[in-house]
């Protein structure tokens, strides 16, 4: 019972990699329906109790009030403020978690700063816009502080939308003066429109400076002024895998300066396309080359100066050069069309490849596990399918129909591993969970519509919904939106 309760409250999608963090258990005061220990909402009060009924007003108050092992939820809306994370968690299983309230989407407009002493923090299902971050220089110098800035260790950003509307650097990980960032995970985010236009050669989507053992997984990184990902000057043992990186000034760069070089970084199984200024993959080592850097098994296409620059300090091998066939690149819908030659390269990735839907939730594409071939005679790489693992329910909505006595229920979310042969959609009614529908052969990402009969349900009701994989685990419960 205890294990099930923890999974219901805080199921977080399991990563394909062992280093991915697990969710923390809520404190005893957490809401059973939402899993939120503390809540903030536009129009709340910082002198309130921080509950769903009496929320705080600001994101900063929420972050300050959440203890290790607790979850803080931001109700949907805009929070125009700079947020400093003054404390983190104590371990991977005892994190501070900040996320949007279930079924809603919150936006922080300002700088998000995680200092060196704040570790084991997770930020998920948020819109983060650093356009209004403070300036750090004169107007002529134009230096705007990056957001998110991360100097803490073991920090996770997942299922977020990150931008600054072309005003500066977005993610900045590590700094020699303020602290190296270690074991940071950035996964399933859309990171876009970062950096001044025209290009200044300094503003990137993700900038790793002094950072070690970072994982950049399953993101869509696009339309950033300069590099999509910059590894400079001392970024070591980074894993960049399963991403779509499109339309940046350059795609990925391995780099260093002076006695500092970025070493032992792996860029593999990504689709890297349409660099606007130079190459999709390149390097810059003016004072001694890096070592152990590889770019392999990627799908490359359309770099302005080419797909791979001079291989100084890195080795490019077994990369496929071909049009990936995006669904609608102009609309920023980076889902791959059926039969895309790059599908095998992304096998198993869970990408927020389409723009946010009308509910404010990301629509993801999971590429079916397959045998990835590079098309150049190299040895295929097999991607294992795995078993059903943790389940995350991202959104739910209910629309009752008086005329037919039935209701339309929509649910969307993820299942880690290889999907599930069967899932049950359940609604909490009369103090217990009732199965209202069964769906078979569900992949890693699901969007399900059920037309079902639920007695006594009215248009004013917002029932709690969950998804169960028999023999595996139940999802987090979500209070359903009232659909129109």
């Amino acid at each position: 019972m205890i294990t099930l309760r923890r999974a219901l409250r805080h199921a977080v999608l399991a990563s394909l990699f062992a280093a991915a963090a697990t969710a923390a258990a809520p404190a005893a005061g957490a809401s059973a329906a939402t899993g939120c220990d503390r809540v903030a909402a536009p129009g709340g009060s910082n002198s309130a109790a921080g509950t769903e009924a009496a929320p705080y007003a600001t994101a900063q108050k929420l972050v300050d009030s959440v203890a290790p092992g607790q979850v803080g939820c931001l109700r949907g809306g805009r929070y125009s403020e700079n947020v400093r994370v003054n404390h983190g968690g104590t371990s991977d299983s005892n994190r501070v978690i900040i996320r949007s309230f279930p079924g809603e989407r919150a936006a922080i407009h300002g700088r998000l700063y995680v200092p060196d002493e704040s570790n084991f923090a997770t930020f998920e299902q948020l819109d983060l816009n650093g356009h209004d971050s403070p300036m750090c220089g004169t107007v002529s110098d134009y230096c705007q502080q990056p957001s998110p800035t991360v100097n803490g260790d073991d920090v996770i950003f997942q299922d977020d939308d990150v931008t600054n509307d072309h005003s500066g650097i977005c993610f900045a990980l590590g700094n020699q003066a303020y602290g190296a960032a270690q074991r940071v995970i950035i996964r399933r985010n859309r990171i876009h429109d970062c950096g001044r236009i025209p290009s200044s050669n300094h503003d990137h989507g993700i900038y790793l400076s002094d950072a070690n053992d970072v994982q950049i997984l399953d993101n869509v990184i696009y339309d950033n002024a300069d590099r999509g990902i910059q590894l400079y000057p001392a970024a070591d043992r980074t894993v960049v895998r399963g991403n779509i990186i499109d339309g940046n000034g350059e795609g990925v760069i391995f780099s260093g300066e002076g006695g500092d070089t970025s070493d032992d970084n792996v860029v593999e199984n990504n689709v890297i396309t349409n660099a606007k200024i130079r190459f999709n993959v390149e390097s810059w080592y003016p004072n001694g080359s890096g070592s152990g850097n590889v770019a392999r098994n990627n799908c490359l296409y359309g770099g302005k100066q080419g797909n791979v620059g001079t291989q100084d300090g890195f080795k490019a091998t077994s990369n496929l050069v071909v049009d990936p066939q995006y669904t609608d690149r102009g609309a920023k819908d980076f889902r791959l069309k059926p039969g895309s030659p790059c599908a095998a390269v992304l096998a198993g990735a869970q990408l927020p490849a389409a723009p946010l839907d009308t509910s404010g939730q990301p629509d993801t594409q999971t590429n079916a596990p397959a045998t990835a071939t590079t098309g150049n005679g190299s040895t295929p790489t097999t991607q294992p399918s795995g078993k059903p693992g943790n389940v995350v329910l991202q959104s739910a909505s209910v629309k009752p129909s008086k005329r037919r006595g039935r209701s339309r229920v929509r649910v969307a979310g993820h299942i880690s591993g290889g999907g599930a042969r069967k899932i049950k959609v359940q609604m909490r009614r009369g103090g217990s969970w009732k199965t209202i529908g069964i769906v078979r052969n569900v992949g890693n990402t699901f969007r399900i519509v059920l037309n079902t009969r639920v007695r006594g349900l009215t248009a004013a009701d917002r029932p709690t919904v969950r998804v169960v994989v028999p023999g595996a685990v139940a999802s987090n419960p979500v209070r359903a939106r009232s659909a129109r």
Side-chain angles (χ1 to χ4, degrees):
M1 177 64 73
I2 293 176
T3 301
L4 177 58
R5 185 174 299 164
R6 288 166 64 91
L8 286 171
R9 292 176 178 172
H10 295 289
V12 175
L13 184 64
S15 170
L16 297 177
F17 309 97
T22 56
S31 166
T34 65
C36 301
D37 294 278
R38 296 287 184 270
V39 178
S45 171
N46 283 349
S47 62
T51 63
E52 184 176 345
Y56 300 133
T58 65
Q60 184 66 64
K61 177 67 174 179
L62 181 73
V63 170
D64 288 342
S65 300
V66 174
Q70 290 188 327
V71 176
C73 296
L74 292 165
R75 299 301 301 255
R78 176 169 172 168
Y79 300 79
S80 297
E81 55 185 296
N82 300 309
V83 178
R84 187 184 194 275
V85 182
N86 292 310
H87 69 274
T90 57
S91 68
D92 213 27
S93 59
N94 204 37
R95 291 180 159 270
V96 164
I97 299 176
I98 305 297
R99 61 172 171 83
S100 290
F101 193 87
E104 301 178 6
R105 194 80 177 183
I108 298 176
H109 283 241
R111 189 190 189 205
L112 177 59
Y113 174 40
V114 186
D116 191 31
E117 63 272 16
S118 298
N119 307 315
F120 297 107
T122 297
F123 304 89
E124 60 187 19
Q125 300 172 22
L126 298 165
D127 292 344
L128 303 174
N129 191 321
H131 182 271
D132 298 325
S133 292
M135 303 297 291
C136 56
T138 65
V139 174
S140 60
D141 290 335
Y142 198 91
C143 174
Q144 186 167 15
Q145 296 179 25
S147 181
T149 298
V150 183
N151 300 108
D153 302 333
D154 301 286
V155 178
I156 297 175
F157 288 86
Q158 59 188 13
D159 303 311
D160 300 316
D161 186 277
V162 180
T163 187
N164 57 33
D165 298 328
H166 286 301
S167 59
I169 298 166
C170 281
F171 277 102
L173 306 186
N175 181 278
Q176 189 175 29
Y178 295 102
Q182 302 189 70
R183 298 177 299 279
V184 175
I185 298 174
I186 300 175
R187 64 185 172 201
R188 298 191 309 272
N189 306 284
R190 291 175 70 89
I191 303 164
H192 59 96
D193 297 295
C194 308
R196 292 162 284 173
I197 299 295
S199 164
S200 66
N201 199 41
H202 295 105
D203 296 348
H204 319 302
I206 305 177
Y207 191 151
L208 285 76
S209 179
D210 285 76
N212 302 316
D213 303 297
V214 172
Q215 296 185 59
I216 302 173
L217 314 171
D218 300 358
N219 303 280
V220 180
I221 304 169
Y222 63 95
D223 291 355
N224 299 299
D226 297 304
R227 265 69 79 197
I229 301 173
Q230 170 156 299
L231 306 170
Y232 165 89
D236 299 331
R237 300 182 299 279
T238 311
V239 174
V240 179
R241 182 182 295 135
N243 304 279
I244 288 176
I245 304 172
D246 179 81
N248 304 284
E250 302 83 20
V252 179
I253 191 169
F254 304 96
S255 190
E257 186 175 29
D260 291 327
T261 58
S262 295
D263 304 311
D264 301 314
N265 299 292
V266 176
V267 177
E268 64 182 3
N269 292 95
N270 305 280
V271 177
I272 310 175
T273 53
N274 302 305
K276 295 178 179 178
I277 299 175
R278 293 196 299 266
F279 297 91
N280 287 318
V281 180
E282 61 181 25
S283 67
W284 184 71
Y285 285 104
N287 306 112
S289 297
S291 63
N293 298 307
V294 295
R296 65 192 180 203
N297 299 325
N298 300 289
C299 191
L300 308 175
Y301 183 75
K304 183 170 183 179
Q305 293 187 4
N307 290 298
V308 180
T310 301
Q311 294 181 45
D312 177 15
F314 78 102
K315 183 178 181 180
T317 181
S318 301
N319 295 295
L320 180 65
V321 178
V322 66
D323 185 347
Q325 301 176 22
Y326 297 128
T327 294
D328 189 344
R329 181 172 177 261
K332 310 310 171 188
D333 186 341
F334 294 101
R335 290 174 293 184
L336 304 183
K337 293 180 179 178
S340 165
C342 296
V345 170
L346 288 176
Q350 295 175 325
L351 288 150
L356 296 180
D357 67 19
T358 56
S359 70
Q361 299 298 327
D363 189 7
T364 61
Q365 169 177 316
T366 299
N367 292 280
T371 298
T373 57
T374 60
N376 55 10
S378 63
T379 303
T381 301
T382 300
Q383 304 288 342
S385 61
K387 297 180 180 180
N390 286 348
V391 186
V392 170
L393 184 57
Q394 286 186 316
S395 63
S397 66
V398 176
K399 181 180 181 181
S401 173
K402 294 181 180 179
R403 182 177 299 176
R404 294 180 295 173
R406 303 181 70 85
S407 297
R408 185 184 68 197
V409 180
R410 297 177 182 266
V411 294
H414 304 289
I415 304 172
S416 66
R421 293 185 178 180
K422 181 172 70 174
I423 65 172
K424 296 180 180 180
V425 180
Q426 297 184 336
M427 185 178 292
R428 193 166 183 83
R429 306 287 289 168
S432 61
W433 291 101
K434 307 292 185 183
T435 298
I436 60 173
I438 296 176
V439 183
R440 300 184 185 277
N441 299 322
V442 178
N444 293 89
T445 300
F446 59 86
R447 299 178 69 83
I448 296 168
V449 180
L450 297 173
N451 288 300
T452 185
R453 187 181 298 276
V454 182
R455 293 184 179 180
L457 193 65
T458 69
D461 289 335
R462 295 187 60 193
T464 301
V465 179
R466 74 178 184 184
V467 170
V468 176
V469 178
V473 70
S475 76
N476 55 301
V478 170
R479 191 177 181 191
R481 296 181 298 109
S482 298
R484 296 181 178 180

